Amino acid sequence: MALKKQERQALILDVLAHEIIDSQEDLMRYLQDGGYDVTQATISRDIKELRVVRRADKNGKSRYQVIQEVQVVEKSRVQDGIKSMAQKVKQVEFMISIKTTPGNGNRLAALIDSADLSGVVSTLAGHDTIHVLSPSVEAATKLADQFKSWLG
């Protein structure tokens, strides 16, 4: 059964509130098993629009969750995140590339985004890589040096 966008997104929010879903594929299969026509591309767009992220729940299990509100993260949490999740930091002009342990790119990027660090314009994250955009080469150099000092 095909759903309108609002109905589909409401259903996704309901599923994520009651089920442990840890991948877009699992969410797509869950909805398809329920008789709903959805594609992975649609799920991906909905997840982005709904501000859904994959992170550990209170029991430590990784799952998709809705970001309720933006909270400013303390710098020490970014430091701890880099120490535990980052493997390599490399500056290229006004960008910084951070290689993370598998599956932690988005998680660490969310910490960096929420920390309101000077020198961070934005981040772009994947499975195990983050690109941090800085406003200048100088700002990127300072930030990269800081990140490198925090590596474990």
Side-chain angles (χ1 to χ4, degrees):
M1 158 187 359
L3 293 172
K4 292 182 181 176
K5 180 179 176 178
Q6 287 181 317
E7 295 169 330
R8 185 182 62 248
Q9 288 185 349
L11 180 61
I12 288 170
L13 291 175
D14 186 58
V15 169
L16 295 178
H18 297 97
E19 301 293 330
I20 295 176
I21 303 289
D22 67 356
S23 71
Q24 291 182 15
E25 293 79 21
D26 286 350
L27 180 57
M28 181 180 69
R29 271 189 243 108
Y30 187 91
L31 295 174
Q32 288 173 342
D33 289 348
Y36 300 102
D37 296 328
V38 293
T39 65
Q40 194 275 329
T42 301
I43 294 293
S44 181
R45 279 190 301 273
D46 286 343
I47 283 174
K48 183 175 181 177
E49 287 179 22
L50 293 168
R51 300 185 63 213
V52 171
V53 297
R54 190 174 155 203
R55 63 180 176 193
D57 62 15
K58 63 183 176 186
N59 300 318
K61 177 127 175 92
S62 183
R63 65 186 289 182
Y64 277 113
Q65 299 175 47
V66 180
I67 298 174
Q68 298 300 329
E69 61 183 57
V70 176
Q71 297 175 340
V72 175
V73 171
E74 293 179 23
K75 192 175 183 179
S76 64
R77 289 202 47 216
V78 176
Q79 185 174 356
D80 292 343
I82 287 178
K83 186 179 236 179
S84 65
M85 294 182 260
Q87 296 178 322
K88 183 178 176 184
V89 175
K90 180 169 178 65
Q91 179 187 347
V92 180
E93 296 291 330
F94 56 88
M95 290 187 69
I96 301 165
S97 181
I98 303 172
K99 182 75 171 171
T100 71
T101 53
N104 285 313
N106 286 307
R107 185 173 297 138
L108 183 54
L111 283 174
I112 293 168
D113 285 336
S114 298
D116 198 29
L117 299 172
S118 83
V120 175
V121 173
S122 63
T123 63
L124 177 65
H127 176 71
D128 63 358
T129 306
I130 305 167
H131 295 296
V132 181
L133 178 65
S134 291
S136 67
V137 173
E138 295 78 22
T141 300
K142 184 176 177 182
L143 191 60
D145 288 345
Q146 187 173 43
F147 288 165
K148 286 176 186 176
S149 75
W150 293 344
L151 282 173

